[in-house]
Amino acid sequence: DIQMTQSPSTLSASVGDRVTITCRASQSISRWLAWYQQKPGKAPKLLIYKASNLESGVPSRFSGSGSGTEFTLTISSLQPDDFATYYCQQYNTNSYTFGQGTKLEMK
Amino acid sequence: QLQMQESGPGLVKPSETLSLTCIVSGDSMRKNGYFWGWIRQPPGKGLEWIGSIYYSGTTHYNPSLKSRVTMSVDTAKTQFSLQLHSVTAADTAVYYCARHSDCSGGSCNSVPGYFHPWGQGSLVTVSS
């Protein structure tokens, strides 16, 4: 299986901050990576697919980049609604794996 | 708009079989390139893909669960199902269904990719 490692596990930030979450794959996955946002008690919500494609309806303050083994999710100006847990997911192989999650909390 | 809803017992005894159904509405299950998947999340933990099925019946299972998982699809009833056999307390989790695809610009790859949209989730507790 391809292992996905996110950092940091927890991130403290304030409204208006620019934040970046990193996801590393144990082997190259080209650009086959998605990002999700999950709020407590809710299902994950797709934000980005194929590393940098913004899902329809997702605010443009979210962006993704990277290829190969290293990827980033950036929120350009943090809004109150963005405090949540974020997961990356690779789909390079027929065994789909997620990162362990990054909890974005209010400073 | 595609919507998905999980249904099934909230409590299963150890060693028995966990059975869940996902009811799909708002779109056809028979579209080329769209698989239908199950993902689970133990309380307070991360996400684990369980398996995915195509309308034809083709399946992909997580190797770590493959020996205990059976998935089926009924496109006439617009639903697909998960069975997880010989459950233990470690199988206690919120179980989500989701459409599983890799589509952009109106075309889809033959191999699924990301999960979207998701059902609301169904908590299944394994306990005697």
Side-chain angles (χ1 to χ4, degrees):
Chain A
D1 275 4
I2 297 176
Q3 308 301 318
M4 306 301 292
T5 304
Q6 291 181 230
S7 60
S9 295
T10 305
L11 178 57
S12 297
S14 302
V15 172
D17 285 353
R18 178 183 179 89
V19 299
T20 297
I21 298 169
T22 297
C23 179
R24 289 186 174 87
S26 60
Q27 63 189 73
S28 177
I29 58 169
S30 184
R31 292 175 55 81
W32 305 117
L33 184 99
W35 288 98
Y36 302 87
Q37 176 194 67
Q38 186 179 34
K39 296 182 179 179
K42 300 293 187 183
K45 170 189 169 184
L46 177 69
L47 298 175
I48 286 168
Y49 61 95
K50 205 173 180 181
S52 61
N53 292 54
L54 199 66
E55 171 62 20
S56 176
V58 174
S60 59
R61 62 181 180 272
F62 291 91
S63 64
S65 65
S67 66
T69 62
E70 186 153 336
F71 302 85
T72 58
L73 173 70
T74 299
I75 309 173
S76 60
S77 178
L78 203 57
Q79 298 302 301
D81 191 48
D82 300 337
F83 293 98
T85 299
Y86 293 84
Y87 293 92
C88 61
Q89 176 235 327
Q90 66 83 18
Y91 50 101
N92 184 66
T93 66
N94 282 353
S95 185
Y96 308 91
T97 48
F98 293 85
Q100 83 279 14
T102 294
K103 184 177 182 180
L104 179 54
E105 61 181 25
M106 201 173 296
K107 186 183 289 184
Chain B
Q1 181 180 356
L2 180 69
Q3 292 188 312
M4 310 177 70
Q5 177 69 58
E6 304 88 352
S7 66
L11 182 63
V12 180
K13 288 182 168 57
S15 80
E16 295 190 346
T17 296
L18 178 160
S19 296
L20 291 170
T21 296
C22 181
I23 299 170
V24 178
S25 61
D27 203 356
S28 171
M29 290 189 69
R30 300 179 66 88
K31 282 188 173 181
N32 287 337
Y34 289 102
F35 281 67
W36 305 90
W38 289 97
I39 305 100
R40 69 180 182 178
Q41 184 172 37
K45 296 188 178 181
L47 300 161
E48 179 181 37
W49 170 69
I50 300 170
S52 299
I53 189 166
Y54 200 52
Y55 74 85
S56 63
T58 297
T59 54
H60 298 299
Y61 294 146
N62 186 325
S64 69
L65 298 169
K66 186 174 183 176
S67 63
R68 299 195 291 131
V69 172
T70 303
M71 292 181 63
S72 60
V73 62
D74 186 338
T75 56
K77 292 184 177 180
T78 64
Q79 63 186 41
F80 61 106
S81 299
L82 168 71
Q83 288 188 313
L84 182 63
H85 309 284
S86 305
V87 297
T88 70
D91 295 310
T92 293
V94 175
Y95 287 76
Y96 296 101
C97 61
R99 189 168 66 179
H100 190 187
S101 62
D102 181 19
C103 303
S104 62
S107 64
C108 300
N109 288 327
S110 59
V111 178
Y114 51 84
F115 299 96
H116 174 72
W118 297 57
Q120 66 184 30
S122 178
L123 175 62
V124 179
T125 301
V126 178
S127 175
S128 55

